[in-house]
Amino acid sequence: MFYNTRIQPARLMKKCTCCPDLQISDAVVIYSKCFKPGCLKQKYSELRIVKMVNAARKKAGILPLEINHNLTRAAREKSRDMCVNNYFSHESPTHGTPKEMIKSFGVSCRWSGENIASGFPNPEMTFKEWMKSPGHRYNILKPEYTHTGVGYFYSSQGTFKHYWTQEFGELI
């Protein structure tokens, strides 16, 4: 498992050396200006998506998703790739289809899916928009999925600045 979902936000905040002004509560991240890859704000934002997804699944009577390290790596790379290569699509000019990309990160799935979003500055807005979209909502609530990984990438040079990817899978 990539992140332990039981990590307390206060413990995360103590470890963040690149953005000491970062404030975290159970419900919301008050954003600092830091967008360095690997910053705890990035990791916390990704974790917030998973927590909101699992809350929606619980409400629908569906088992929660487990975080998978390789799905997270794939999701982060997809978000970075969309920004750097200036596209917004499930098909990557670099990595191919979502299924091909997931496989290239060492994940074999019986079922797989992908949600992408751009332009939303926080996980709450991103999740809200995904739940309003029938296709994204379907991925979030698909009972066959057992694992997930979320990737967030920010660049002030990117067309949309904020890029989000959530990979889903039923691992074999």
Side-chain angles (χ1 to χ4, degrees):
M1 191 180 263
F2 184 52
Y3 300 116
N4 179 345
T5 57
R6 294 184 194 102
I7 291 175
Q8 296 299 311
R11 287 178 58 202
L12 288 175
M13 193 166 67
K14 288 180 187 175
K15 293 180 183 176
C16 194
T17 57
C18 64
C19 49
D21 61 326
L22 177 63
Q23 299 175 34
I24 301 174
S25 75
D26 286 333
V28 69
V29 176
I30 301 168
Y31 291 93
S32 68
K33 293 180 181 177
C34 176
F35 290 99
K36 297 176 185 173
C39 170
L40 285 178
K41 183 178 68 180
Q42 174 198 25
K43 293 176 185 177
Y44 186 80
S45 295
E46 294 165 352
L47 183 58
R48 280 291 300 142
I49 294 278
V50 175
K51 286 184 175 188
M52 289 183 284
V53 163
N54 281 338
R57 289 172 68 89
K58 182 179 181 180
K59 186 176 179 181
I62 303 166
L63 291 173
L65 298 169
E66 290 184 38
I67 298 170
N68 177 275
H69 174 69
N70 288 332
L71 286 175
T72 300
R73 287 178 49 233
R76 285 180 176 167
E77 172 54 21
K78 176 63 177 263
S79 293
R80 187 202 68 78
D81 186 51
M82 286 191 295
C83 178
V84 170
N85 292 307
N86 196 29
Y87 74 95
F88 184 73
S89 173
H90 291 288
E91 180 110 8
S92 163
T94 310
H95 302 285
T97 67
K99 191 167 191 98
E100 292 168 338
M101 184 167 188
I102 289 169
K103 189 174 182 179
S104 76
F105 278 84
V107 179
S108 295
C109 295
R110 186 169 293 118
W111 296 96
S112 64
E114 178 181 83
N115 285 350
I116 58 175
S118 62
F120 303 110
N122 62 55
E124 291 76 19
M125 288 176 69
T126 304
F127 176 74
K128 182 179 176 184
E129 292 302 313
W130 279 344
M131 289 303 283
K132 289 196 298 190
S133 159
H136 294 105
R137 183 182 182 89
Y138 175 81
N139 278 339
I140 288 168
L141 299 177
K142 185 172 180 171
E144 289 83 3
Y145 292 147
T146 57
H147 292 80
T148 193
V150 176
Y152 169 69
F153 188 82
Y154 171 85
S155 173
S156 61
Q157 306 298 315
T159 302
F160 302 106
K161 295 190 182 358
H162 303 272
Y163 297 82
W164 301 87
T165 304
Q166 183 169 21
E167 302 291 359
F168 300 89
E170 180 187 18
L171 278 61
I172 298 174

